[in-house]
Amino acid sequence: MSIKIFNTLTRKKEDFKPLDEKEIRMYSCGPTVYYFAHIGNLRAYLFMDNLRRVLKYNGYNLKHVMNITDVGHLVSDADEGEDKMMKAAKRENKNPYEIAEFYMNAFLADIDKLNVDRPEIIARATEHIDVMEEYVKKIIDNGFSYQTEDTVYFDTSKLDKYGMLSNRNVDEQKAGARVEFDSNKKNISDFAIWIKAPENHIMKWDTFFGKAYPGWHLECSAMGYKYLGEQFDIHTGGVDHIPIHHENEIAQSKGFSGKIPANYWMHVEFLQINGGKMSKSLNNLYTLKDLEEKGYEPLVYRMFNFTSNYRAQINFTFDAMDSAKVALNRLREGYLKHSEGLDDIEDSVIKEYEEKFLEAINDDLNMPVAMSVVWDVVKNPVKSKKLQNLLLKFDEVLGLDLKNYQKQENVLPEEIKKLVKERNVARANKNWAESDRIRDVLIEKGYTVKDSKEGTIVEKQ
Ligand code: AMP
Ligand code: ZN
């Protein structure tokens, strides 16, 4: 069955045709490691993992590269402001290499907890300066750049078209610019590809341009080229990469080889919090650790992300996390229920579930529909090992680690269980006063009580 992918380049859902039938080559823009990833960032890597798993489920092998940006990413994507690593180094009174090491490891630990499969190649920018230098020199030789005293700029006017992903022309970019544009640039869309390091800059290398460092956009182009060649299949990132970072990657690749580097460009939409933006100043920026401290295991956040398609914004609320927690629990219980099965089930029923699931995931990763098939399997009244195995197979895509799930002993003491039962009866009778009273008793006894439309969870505080 063919896989359909929404391609930002053509703004259409297309049948996916790999360059090589056996191995898909793919590049994902990775994190800039100057601080802890927030849960919005992590959505981007859950999407990346979802895509990996769907491709593998379809029988493909992967050669997948993700970069770690540990130098060169200035505070704004459009090359303004300080280097993010240098800024963090000042903030924490460390050197930028220590910052990179620490936050890279924190990031990898987070994605491991979320059961994100690590890409085959994780490429750190600072370990690829030679490839970047080779790449930038060829862009210069091909006549796509100009130099000022301290910067090599990419000259976007040399391209037949700049802006093919976001479909914006240069006038629109001027209108949208937030700051006066750097007067050293010939065109507003030009960008730095190689930058002379100021005296106090710790991350710098001896290069054709003196002591210098690479521009952020150049890193991805050069590392993608090194591992995947001039052209590969899929390039992923967040929607914020469309108007600048990925336009610039395409520009560089055209300047380097004359080609668009990837055939399919996929972008994940943003996570919102309570309908708005996440930000430190609003005090609503959460990390995975914050969620854990609030009693949500990381896989609950993974489950939460399946409630929306990656191309739609998703709204984070703790109510939605509570529902995801109940749902994950229900899936695990359903998985165990089927392991007790003796009755058998027709193969045609299994086949039908499989087809529906495959159709959903191959429709541009339609996870909400795929999950509805999962629930049909869970709820099937016939207990059957075949259904359990089917859930295990689906879990190759879901990544919820069902195979390692063991029945949790119900640790609630009898007295508490009795109160929970009484409260459930009160709720069923819409006797809210009684239900609230019992909840207060439970809280007093040291238990948290969370109601959602999926059910109630009672846990020791
Ligand atoms: P950065 O480390 O800042 O380069 O960002 C890492 C990734 O997180 C990028 O792919 C961004 O597109 C993505 N990202 C940033 N904020 C959000 C958000 N609120 N929701 C989803 N993805 C985001
Ligand atoms: Zn990138």
Side-chain angles (χ1 to χ4, degrees), residues 108-173:
L108 293 174
D110 278 353
I111 64 168
D112 287 351
K113 279 186 184 171
L114 288 166
N115 209 18
V116 167
D117 279 346
R118 290 195 188 185
E120 283 66 32
I121 298 161
I122 295 185
R124 286 180 75 159
T126 48
E127 289 169 2
H128 294 80
I129 301 294
D130 51 341
V131 190
M132 295 175 197
E133 193 175 2
E134 180 196 324
Y135 199 97
V136 83
K137 277 164 126 178
K138 191 162 168 207
I139 292 178
I140 296 170
D141 289 349
N142 290 348
F144 284 86
S145 72
Y146 56 93
Q147 299 181 1
T148 61
E149 203 180 308
D150 55 9
T151 306
V152 182
Y153 285 104
F154 189 96
D155 186 350
T156 52
S157 68
K158 293 280 160 65
L159 298 168
D160 44 355
K161 177 161 171 57
Y162 175 82
M164 50 176 61
L165 268 185
S166 48
N167 217 14
R168 293 193 309 163
N169 61 33
V170 171
D171 287 341
E172 282 168 331
Q173 287 179 28

Side-chain angles (χ1 to χ4, degrees), residues 27 29 67 216 220 245-246 249:
Y27 188 95
C29 286
N67 64 293
W216 170 44
C220 285
H245 183 50
H246 287 171
E249 277 192 47

Side-chain angles (χ1 to χ4, degrees), residues 218-232:
L218 192 101
E219 297 176 5
C220 285
S221 290
M223 292 190 285
Y225 163 68
K226 174 179 162 104
Y227 294 108
L228 305 173
E230 287 177 357
Q231 278 187 304
F232 48 92

